[in-house]
Amino acid sequence: MAATRPKTPATPEPAAPDRLSEAQERFVQAWGQMAGAWGVTRTMAEAHALLYITGEPHNSDDLMHRLRISRGNASMTLRALLDWGLVTKVHKRGDRKEYFRAEQDVWTVLRTILRERAKRELAPMLASLHEIRDLTSDDADTPTTDHNARLDAMLEFATIADELIQRCVEADAPTMLGDALVGAGAPREGPA
Amino acid sequence: MAATRPKTPATPEPAAPDRLSEAQERFVQAWGQMAGAWGVTRTMAEAHALLYITGEPHNSDDLMHRLRISRGNASMTLRALLDWGLVTKVHKRGDRKEYFRAEQDVWTVLRTILRERAKRELAPMLASLHEIRDLTSDDADTPTTDHNARLDAMLEFATIADELIQRCVEADAPTMLGDALVGAGAPREGPA
DNA sequence: AGATCATTTCAGAATATTTTGAAACGAACC
DNA sequence: GGTTCGTTTCAAAATATTCTGAAATGATCT
């Protein structure tokens, strides 16, 4: 029965390279589904996933073919990833093309994403909250005191979140979870 | 000069209710911009913001008018918020309409969002990663060892994130930042 | 300079997401 | 039973987002 080329129609045991490719492909897909969670487009996430899981630098053409996207899209996607700081340029001797490599440490990737999202989303939010708070700050009317309390709660929340992220961003990989998150300004009650 | 009704054409000092309305409106807008960060639609975020900042229960009609959305949209949005657990139903005596109130504690809101997103996004991701890992688990080929290492790093990362979120979700508000985040399984190197 | 190859740009096309509005449904009253 | 008022549903419309592809730009070589 068992032969070097079995006639079994349904793939019985794919060769190692095939399994690797399939694993890579599925990883790219899975990571692409998380795109929303990271606040990037699906293609950005897929491109990043490909660069991460292969570990190798790739150029625009590689992306075009493996992700089946247009040249323009590949260019824009890589530029956006560069802008986020999720990939870096790599030059290859004797090759005119530009290559891109993804950061290989997952904790650094997380810190990069936290930093960018805090900058792009949290900071403007904090600014808005402060402005809004000023609208009713000098008002002693009863109807606004409740409103102000709610606004202040949100403001404190956003501020703590900002500080927490700041700590994570500044920490180095191994201490991130340990040191960075401790004593981040939790709203503790008693003093002693 | 100063009179009970000054003639100045450009609004010099809006009455307190006006400033309150404006503050509410701007808060709703600001919160709506964070919609992407929470993984909900802009309208869901705006509706939640309105219910939060006013502190009062509102019905479908209130939402329609204050948010200028259709009846159908208001219904779907409220149902989605209920589904997320971000609002609760409130019944008013002698009123057929259903009212909805937003959770007032911001840390509880955060925990709710973390719980839902972990369930909807992280859990499927973890499942996928395990499946993918199995594709090349029994493979001793050199090309797959690097791949497996990267996949394992990602798997460990996602697992820790899941545990961390779990702790936050289970913690009660005041201890969330303090106790929940400490000792969450950080990848420490040396033992001593 | 001119030739060649890589990259960027961006208006229009393709997709995906969100919203509408009217009809169907349901629940509370008479 | 029927009527009224409120809610839900969902196909079609409106919007928003992402992608394409070809032309423009830039970069490197002879």
Side-chain angles (χ1 to χ4, degrees), chain B residues 27-99:
Chain B
F27 180 79
V28 167
Q29 297 249 141
W31 204 235
Q33 300 216 292
M34 293 287 285
W38 302 135
V40 301
T41 67
R42 188 178 48 78
T43 301
M44 270 179 76
E46 288 189 348
H48 177 255
L50 181 62
L51 297 184
Y52 172 79
I53 201 60
T54 60
E56 290 290 315
H58 288 261
N59 58 40
S60 197
D61 270 21
D62 294 338
L63 272 201
M64 269 183 68
H65 295 123
R66 290 207 59 165
L67 260 39
R68 316 280 192 81
I69 59 179
S70 69
R71 188 171 302 286
N73 197 4
S75 171
M76 287 190 299
T77 296
L78 283 170
R79 204 162 53 74
L81 285 173
L82 264 185
D83 193 39
W84 272 70
L86 287 169
V87 304
T88 51
K89 280 187 186 174
V90 177
H91 284 291
K92 288 203 174 181
R93 302 243 165 260
D95 194 336
R96 277 212 212 163
K97 289 191 183 70
E98 284 186 322
Y99 286 75

Side-chain angles (χ1 to χ4, degrees), chain A residues 57 133 162 179 185:
Chain A
R133 184 60 180 78
D162 197 43
D179 302 343

Side-chain angles (χ1 to χ4, degrees), chain A residues 41-43 68-73 76 96:
Chain A
T41 66
R42 187 178 48 78
T43 302
R68 316 281 192 82
I69 58 178
S70 70
R71 188 171 301 285
N73 196 5
M76 288 189 299
R96 279 213 209 161

Side-chain angles (χ1 to χ4, degrees), chain A residues 73-94:
Chain A
N73 196 5
S75 171
M76 288 189 299
T77 296
L78 283 170
R79 204 162 54 74
L81 285 173
L82 264 184
D83 193 40
W84 272 70
L86 287 169
V87 304
T88 51
K89 279 187 189 175
V90 177
H91 284 290
K92 286 204 175 180
R93 301 242 165 262

